[in-house]
Amino acid sequence: MVGTRRVAVASLALAATALLAGCGGTKTDHVSMDDGPSAAGNGITPATVTAHKGHNVEIKVTNTASDKQHGFSIDAFGVTKTIDPGRVTTVKFKATKAGTYRVYCQLHSTHKPAELTVS
């Protein structure tokens, strides 16, 4: 009986260790941005957002225009999306390197860009 308990306790300990190993995984930074017309003119707002190096990043992007598509790009992380009028999309990537990166509408070069700072 004692031997059976030891095996059961050891099995439980191994199972708990396996479950806990998945708990300390990569964190995710959640950010929201708008692309299109705003009070300050056309562009991406807010002007600056931040993320943490090594984290996954999820940016919820809303196209505030009712009449045209807008783009959303961050070259450093291979992000290029086109968003239909009035729609929302989520871009996902891993912030693998620290720095400040340009966030811009690849469809409209005159739109004001924003910056993503990864620290």
Side-chain angles (χ1 to χ4, degrees):
M1 183 88 135
V2 173
T4 303
R5 271 193 216 157
R6 285 185 185 153
V7 170
V9 169
S11 296
L12 184 59
L14 284 172
T17 300
L19 286 172
L20 290 174
C23 290
T26 303
K27 294 183 179 181
T28 301
D29 295 327
H30 298 274
V31 179
S32 292
M33 301 185 87
D34 291 335
D35 190 0
S38 70
N42 285 311
I44 299 190
T45 54
T48 59
V49 293
T50 59
H52 298 88
K53 182 181 175 189
H55 287 195
N56 290 322
V57 179
E58 291 186 10
I59 304 176
K60 183 175 126 183
V61 186
T62 302
N63 179 348
T64 59
S66 61
D67 61 342
K68 65 175 84 171
Q69 290 182 323
H70 284 284
F72 186 86
S73 290
I74 309 170
D75 294 340
F77 298 105
V79 173
T80 303
K81 291 284 186 176
T82 300
I83 310 157
D84 288 330
R87 304 295 286 189
V88 178
T89 193
T90 300
V91 297
K92 299 177 183 183
F93 60 93
K94 185 162 186 154
T96 55
K97 50 194 169 190
T100 299
Y101 305 99
R102 185 172 180 250
V103 180
Y104 66 99
C105 174
Q106 77 275 7
L107 301 179
H108 305 102
S109 61
T110 59
H111 288 189
K112 184 189 273 186
E115 289 184 339
L116 165 67
T117 300
V118 177
S119 55

